[in-house]
Every structure is written in structure tokens, then in C-alpha cells.
Amino acid sequence: LDQDAPAIGQNLLVAMAQDPAMLVWLDGRLNTRTRPQENFGREILELHTLGIIKGEQVYTEADMRGVAKIMSGRTIRWNNDANKYNYMFSTGWHSRDAVSILGGQWTRPARANGNSGEADGDALLGFLARHPSTARHLAYKLCRRFVSDDPPAALVDRLASVYQANDTAIAPVLRELFLSN
């Protein structure tokens, strides 16, 4: 990873949200406006961004359903040509409902059509990548993996600060972690 590249965390989230294997695993082929895939919303919030630390979470089930609506329309091609199984965004499958996440910290008004749906999803991922809870969750997971099952809170906080100060870039966080006592 290029340590000077901005928004690495956001770029990784967008790549995950367009990854055909991830979309198949999370039933992306069923991710429609009338039936947004809650699995996708839950994985984005629980595993890839805000997380749950020691049983505490900052998001609600309504937030998860809202994320699922914003991410609806992301799927893969099922045709029999050279693009089979590649990522695609289906405007017709995207939810047009108004969505509010985390008590209004991120909102999207109702839409007349799904034309801006992919951009709305990418904007949500950018918001989530930069959220303080994402910084803390990522720092906690790194510390738990490399330091201790019950990592020191001061180290977790320091790594979260580095993540936020570097616009979601991961390399400075890893450098801080590996150079810490």
C-alpha cells in the first residue's frame, strides 16, 4: 500500500462493495429495491466499519436496514458473455427510499429513480470509513491481532487517532502499531 495515498480505507470499502465474490456470498444477486439484502448492510457495519467491541455497538437494526437500502442495486452480471460474474450496478434494483443512518449523521433523501444510487452508496462508504467508531474498531482489531486479546485502551485510541489524522490510510496506523512498545 502507498502510505501517502489518501482514503485507503474508503477505497478498500468501495472495492469490497464491488467485489463479485463478496456480492455472491452476501446474496448480491437478490439485492433489489423491494428486497435489499440485510446481510450486506450488516457485514458493512459489523465487520468492515463501525463494528462491535466488547458487546457495544453504535448502530441499530434500523441503521443496518438503511445501509442495505443504500447498497441495493449492487450485483454481478449473470449473462453468458465475457463479462459474466463481473460487478454491475442496476439502477432499477436500487431502493429509492429516504434513508437516515446513525440518528441523522448521514442522510439521503428519497429519489425519483436509482440513477444516483451507486454514488450514494460510495458516499455512505466514505462517511463510514471516516467515522470515529470505524477508526476505533479497526484499531481494536489490529491491536487484538498483533498485541493482545484485551489490548491496551491507550494504544487503541492512539491508533484510531492516527487513522483519522491520515484520512483512513492504513500504512501509518500499521507503522504506529509496529513501532509501539
Side-chain angles (χ1 to χ4, degrees):
L1 295 173
D2 177 359
Q3 68 183 12
D4 298 320
I8 293 294
Q10 178 180 349
N11 293 345
L12 289 171
L13 284 175
V14 171
M16 173 278 305
Q18 295 179 356
D19 181 73
M22 183 68 70
L23 289 167
V24 168
W25 180 52
L26 297 173
D27 296 325
R29 68 189 180 283
L30 307 173
N31 193 14
T32 67
R33 86 176 183 194
T34 58
R35 200 172 80 190
Q37 276 304 305
E38 293 183 3
N39 287 341
F40 199 20
R42 186 175 314 283
E43 297 303 323
I44 288 171
L45 292 176
E46 188 173 314
L47 294 179
H48 300 297
T49 61
L50 307 176
I52 300 173
I53 299 175
K54 296 182 180 181
E56 295 180 25
Q57 66 188 55
V58 298
Y59 63 91
T60 65
E61 289 294 305
D63 293 329
M64 178 273 303
R65 286 189 292 280
V67 170
K69 287 180 180 182
I70 294 298
M71 301 310 287
S72 64
R74 290 173 189 251
T75 190
I76 63 171
R77 297 181 188 281
W78 293 99
N79 54 10
N80 283 320
D81 63 19
N83 292 316
K84 187 173 185 176
Y85 306 128
N86 288 347
Y87 167 77
M88 68 173 270
F89 183 80
S90 173
T91 59
W93 287 12
H94 182 68
S95 172
R96 293 154 176 88
D97 295 344
V99 173
S100 178
I101 308 288
L102 299 174
Q105 291 181 42
W106 189 92
T107 60
R108 191 217 43 201
R111 301 286 195 205
N113 56 51
N115 293 344
S116 64
E118 188 173 30
D120 289 343
D122 289 351
L124 174 62
L125 293 173
F127 164 78
L128 291 171
R130 290 173 178 84
H131 195 277
S133 292
T134 298
R136 188 172 183 320
H137 180 237
L138 292 175
Y140 180 82
K141 286 170 59 171
L142 288 169
C143 288
R144 198 178 65 211
R145 172 73 172 120
F146 292 106
V147 177
S148 166
D149 287 340
D150 189 19
L155 179 60
V156 171
D157 292 344
R158 191 165 81 237
L159 295 181
S161 294
V162 169
Y163 176 83
Q164 289 188 291
N166 287 279
D167 193 28
T168 79
I170 304 297
V173 177
L174 293 173
R175 182 178 302 104
E176 184 72 22
L177 173 63
F178 297 143
L179 293 177
S180 70
N181 289 333

Tab-separated table of all heavy atoms in Angstrom, residues 109-140:
chain	number	residue	atom	x	y	z
A	109	PRO	N	-32.056	11.827	0.793
A	109	PRO	CA	-33.495	12.000	0.570
A	109	PRO	C	-34.036	10.907	-0.353
A	109	PRO	O	-33.271	10.198	-1.012
A	109	PRO	CB	-33.579	13.372	-0.104
A	109	PRO	CG	-32.257	13.543	-0.775
A	109	PRO	CD	-31.259	12.837	0.098
A	110	ALA	N	-35.343	10.799	-0.415
A	110	ALA	CA	-35.963	9.872	-1.364
A	110	ALA	C	-35.539	10.282	-2.773
A	110	ALA	O	-35.298	11.466	-3.047
A	110	ALA	CB	-37.481	9.911	-1.220
A	111	ARG	N	-35.434	9.318	-3.639
A	111	ARG	CA	-35.013	9.549	-5.022
A	111	ARG	C	-36.135	9.148	-5.974
A	111	ARG	O	-36.891	8.215	-5.701
A	111	ARG	CB	-33.767	8.716	-5.360
A	111	ARG	CG	-32.569	8.976	-4.491
A	111	ARG	CD	-31.934	10.287	-4.844
A	111	ARG	NE	-30.593	10.373	-4.250
A	111	ARG	CZ	-30.016	11.504	-3.975
A	111	ARG	NH1	-30.612	12.652	-4.236
A	111	ARG	NH2	-28.804	11.530	-3.454
A	112	ALA	N	-36.214	9.858	-7.092
A	112	ALA	CA	-37.207	9.537	-8.115
A	112	ALA	C	-36.833	8.279	-8.883
A	112	ALA	O	-37.686	7.572	-9.414
A	112	ALA	CB	-37.364	10.715	-9.079
A	113	ASN	N	-35.525	7.988	-8.946
A	113	ASN	CA	-35.053	6.803	-9.659
A	113	ASN	C	-33.736	6.356	-9.014
A	113	ASN	O	-33.263	6.966	-8.070
A	113	ASN	CB	-34.882	7.093	-11.154
A	113	ASN	CG	-33.957	8.262	-11.410
A	113	ASN	OD1	-32.843	8.317	-10.883
A	113	ASN	ND2	-34.406	9.218	-12.216
A	114	GLY	N	-33.147	5.309	-9.552
A	114	GLY	CA	-31.912	4.766	-8.975
A	114	GLY	C	-30.641	5.295	-9.608
A	114	GLY	O	-29.565	4.769	-9.348
A	115	ASN	N	-30.732	6.351	-10.427
A	115	ASN	CA	-29.566	6.826	-11.181
A	115	ASN	C	-28.385	7.247	-10.306
A	115	ASN	O	-27.244	7.093	-10.712
A	115	ASN	CB	-29.955	7.962	-12.118
A	115	ASN	CG	-30.868	7.483	-13.231
A	115	ASN	OD1	-30.987	6.284	-13.482
A	115	ASN	ND2	-31.525	8.407	-13.890
A	116	SER	N	-28.633	7.794	-9.137
A	116	SER	CA	-27.531	8.234	-8.275
A	116	SER	C	-27.234	7.218	-7.172
A	116	SER	O	-26.458	7.496	-6.259
A	116	SER	CB	-27.840	9.600	-7.672
A	116	SER	OG	-28.975	9.502	-6.827
A	117	GLY	N	-27.823	6.052	-7.277
A	117	GLY	CA	-27.696	5.048	-6.222
A	117	GLY	C	-26.284	4.586	-5.958
A	117	GLY	O	-25.885	4.442	-4.802
A	118	GLU	N	-25.513	4.344	-6.999
A	118	GLU	CA	-24.140	3.886	-6.796
A	118	GLU	C	-23.307	4.978	-6.126
A	118	GLU	O	-22.547	4.706	-5.191
A	118	GLU	CB	-23.511	3.464	-8.119
A	118	GLU	CG	-22.165	2.807	-7.949
A	118	GLU	CD	-21.641	2.234	-9.257
A	118	GLU	OE1	-21.957	2.775	-10.329
A	118	GLU	OE2	-20.895	1.243	-9.186
A	119	ALA	N	-23.477	6.216	-6.569
A	119	ALA	CA	-22.751	7.341	-5.959
A	119	ALA	C	-23.186	7.538	-4.509
A	119	ALA	O	-22.351	7.827	-3.642
A	119	ALA	CB	-22.974	8.619	-6.767
A	120	ASP	N	-24.476	7.360	-4.230
A	120	ASP	CA	-24.946	7.461	-2.847
A	120	ASP	C	-24.286	6.391	-1.978
A	120	ASP	O	-23.864	6.665	-0.852
A	120	ASP	CB	-26.470	7.302	-2.769
A	120	ASP	CG	-27.241	8.486	-3.325
A	120	ASP	OD1	-26.654	9.582	-3.492
A	120	ASP	OD2	-28.446	8.312	-3.609
A	121	GLY	N	-24.186	5.169	-2.497
A	121	GLY	CA	-23.534	4.094	-1.754
A	121	GLY	C	-22.069	4.383	-1.496
A	121	GLY	O	-21.565	4.176	-0.393
A	122	ASP	N	-21.384	4.896	-2.515
A	122	ASP	CA	-19.964	5.238	-2.338
A	122	ASP	C	-19.799	6.364	-1.316
A	122	ASP	O	-18.864	6.351	-0.518
A	122	ASP	CB	-19.335	5.630	-3.671
A	122	ASP	CG	-19.164	4.439	-4.618
A	122	ASP	OD1	-19.363	3.283	-4.195
A	122	ASP	OD2	-18.847	4.687	-5.799
A	123	ALA	N	-20.732	7.332	-1.331
A	123	ALA	CA	-20.674	8.425	-0.350
A	123	ALA	C	-20.894	7.887	1.066
A	123	ALA	O	-20.213	8.310	2.011
A	123	ALA	CB	-21.714	9.494	-0.683
A	124	LEU	N	-21.821	6.955	1.218
A	124	LEU	CA	-22.045	6.342	2.527
A	124	LEU	C	-20.793	5.610	2.992
A	124	LEU	O	-20.391	5.729	4.153
A	124	LEU	CB	-23.238	5.386	2.492
A	124	LEU	CG	-23.453	4.583	3.771
A	124	LEU	CD1	-23.741	5.495	4.963
A	124	LEU	CD2	-24.567	3.567	3.571
A	125	LEU	N	-20.157	4.864	2.088
A	125	LEU	CA	-18.927	4.156	2.456
A	125	LEU	C	-17.834	5.133	2.877
A	125	LEU	O	-17.086	4.862	3.820
A	125	LEU	CB	-18.466	3.264	1.307
A	125	LEU	CG	-19.387	2.090	0.981
A	125	LEU	CD1	-18.926	1.370	-0.280
A	125	LEU	CD2	-19.517	1.130	2.153
A	126	GLY	N	-17.736	6.276	2.205
A	126	GLY	CA	-16.772	7.302	2.595
A	126	GLY	C	-17.058	7.839	3.988
A	126	GLY	O	-16.139	8.026	4.800
A	127	PHE	N	-18.329	8.080	4.273
A	127	PHE	CA	-18.728	8.534	5.608
A	127	PHE	C	-18.364	7.490	6.665
A	127	PHE	O	-17.779	7.807	7.707
A	127	PHE	CB	-20.238	8.826	5.642
A	127	PHE	CG	-20.806	8.916	7.020
A	127	PHE	CD1	-20.626	10.058	7.789
A	127	PHE	CD2	-21.501	7.856	7.575
A	127	PHE	CE1	-21.131	10.144	9.080
A	127	PHE	CE2	-22.020	7.916	8.856
A	127	PHE	CZ	-21.832	9.073	9.615
A	128	LEU	N	-18.711	6.235	6.386
A	128	LEU	CA	-18.423	5.171	7.349
A	128	LEU	C	-16.931	4.963	7.536
A	128	LEU	O	-16.464	4.717	8.654
A	128	LEU	CB	-19.090	3.862	6.912
A	128	LEU	CG	-20.620	3.845	6.983
A	128	LEU	CD1	-21.169	2.587	6.322
A	128	LEU	CD2	-21.100	3.970	8.423
A	129	ALA	N	-16.152	5.066	6.458
A	129	ALA	CA	-14.696	4.898	6.565
A	129	ALA	C	-14.089	5.928	7.499
A	129	ALA	O	-13.127	5.635	8.207
A	129	ALA	CB	-14.049	4.996	5.183
A	130	ARG	N	-14.647	7.129	7.515
A	130	ARG	CA	-14.088	8.222	8.322
A	130	ARG	C	-14.735	8.368	9.704
A	130	ARG	O	-14.350	9.226	10.482
A	130	ARG	CB	-14.225	9.532	7.543
A	130	ARG	CG	-13.302	9.581	6.350
A	130	ARG	CD	-13.554	10.806	5.477
A	130	ARG	NE	-12.614	10.830	4.379
A	130	ARG	CZ	-12.775	10.157	3.234
A	130	ARG	NH1	-13.855	9.410	3.049
A	130	ARG	NH2	-11.864	10.228	2.285
A	131	HIS	N	-15.701	7.546	9.992
A	131	HIS	CA	-16.408	7.653	11.267
A	131	HIS	C	-15.473	7.263	12.420
A	131	HIS	O	-14.699	6.308	12.307
A	131	HIS	CB	-17.643	6.746	11.264
A	131	HIS	CG	-18.594	7.056	12.345
A	131	HIS	ND1	-18.451	6.570	13.630
A	131	HIS	CD2	-19.712	7.819	12.353
A	131	HIS	CE1	-19.435	7.014	14.379
A	131	HIS	NE2	-20.228	7.775	13.628
A	132	PRO	N	-15.515	7.988	13.535
A	132	PRO	CA	-14.657	7.662	14.684
A	132	PRO	C	-14.818	6.216	15.180
A	132	PRO	O	-13.843	5.602	15.625
A	132	PRO	CB	-15.085	8.663	15.759
A	132	PRO	CG	-15.703	9.793	15.015
A	132	PRO	CD	-16.303	9.202	13.774
A	133	SER	N	-16.018	5.675	15.088
A	133	SER	CA	-16.215	4.287	15.528
A	133	SER	C	-15.513	3.300	14.605
A	133	SER	O	-15.049	2.245	15.059
A	133	SER	CB	-17.711	3.961	15.616
A	133	SER	OG	-18.293	4.699	16.669
A	134	THR	N	-15.423	3.618	13.319
A	134	THR	CA	-14.673	2.764	12.403
A	134	THR	C	-13.193	2.809	12.764
A	134	THR	O	-12.523	1.773	12.812
A	134	THR	CB	-14.885	3.192	10.940
A	134	THR	OG1	-16.278	3.035	10.623
A	134	THR	CG2	-14.040	2.384	9.979
A	135	ALA	N	-12.687	4.000	13.022
A	135	ALA	CA	-11.278	4.142	13.412
A	135	ALA	C	-10.993	3.303	14.655
A	135	ALA	O	-9.995	2.564	14.716
A	135	ALA	CB	-10.940	5.606	13.668
A	136	ARG	N	-11.864	3.379	15.626
A	136	ARG	CA	-11.672	2.627	16.869
A	136	ARG	C	-11.780	1.122	16.622
A	136	ARG	O	-10.995	0.336	17.145
A	136	ARG	CB	-12.697	3.074	17.906
A	136	ARG	CG	-12.465	2.492	19.281
A	136	ARG	CD	-13.416	3.133	20.290
A	136	ARG	NE	-13.308	2.758	21.667
A	136	ARG	CZ	-13.090	1.570	22.184
A	136	ARG	NH1	-12.883	0.545	21.428
A	136	ARG	NH2	-13.056	1.360	23.481
A	137	HIS	N	-12.761	0.707	15.829
A	137	HIS	CA	-12.952	-0.714	15.541
A	137	HIS	C	-11.745	-1.297	14.817
A	137	HIS	O	-11.245	-2.370	15.181
A	137	HIS	CB	-14.235	-0.899	14.711
A	137	HIS	CG	-14.532	-2.308	14.364
A	137	HIS	ND1	-14.691	-2.730	13.077
A	137	HIS	CD2	-14.691	-3.411	15.139
A	137	HIS	CE1	-14.946	-4.029	13.065
A	137	HIS	NE2	-14.953	-4.466	14.303
A	138	LEU	N	-11.251	-0.608	13.798
A	138	LEU	CA	-10.076	-1.095	13.073
A	138	LEU	C	-8.846	-1.143	13.975
A	138	LEU	O	-8.085	-2.114	13.957
A	138	LEU	CB	-9.807	-0.230	11.845
A	138	LEU	CG	-10.845	-0.331	10.726
A	138	LEU	CD1	-10.527	0.666	9.624
A	138	LEU	CD2	-10.935	-1.734	10.170
A	139	ALA	N	-8.666	-0.103	14.777
A	139	ALA	CA	-7.530	-0.077	15.697
A	139	ALA	C	-7.626	-1.219	16.704
A	139	ALA	O	-6.635	-1.898	16.997
A	139	ALA	CB	-7.468	1.268	16.416
A	140	TYR	N	-8.815	-1.445	17.226
A	140	TYR	CA	-9.028	-2.528	18.181
A	140	TYR	C	-8.698	-3.884	17.557
A	140	TYR	O	-8.013	-4.723	18.164
A	140	TYR	CB	-10.475	-2.498	18.685
A	140	TYR	CG	-10.790	-3.581	19.686
A	140	TYR	CD1	-10.456	-3.424	21.024
A	140	TYR	CD2	-11.413	-4.755	19.288
A	140	TYR	CE1	-10.735	-4.428	21.950
A	140	TYR	CE2	-11.689	-5.756	20.196
A	140	TYR	CZ	-11.362	-5.584	21.529
A	140	TYR	OH	-11.639	-6.579	22.438
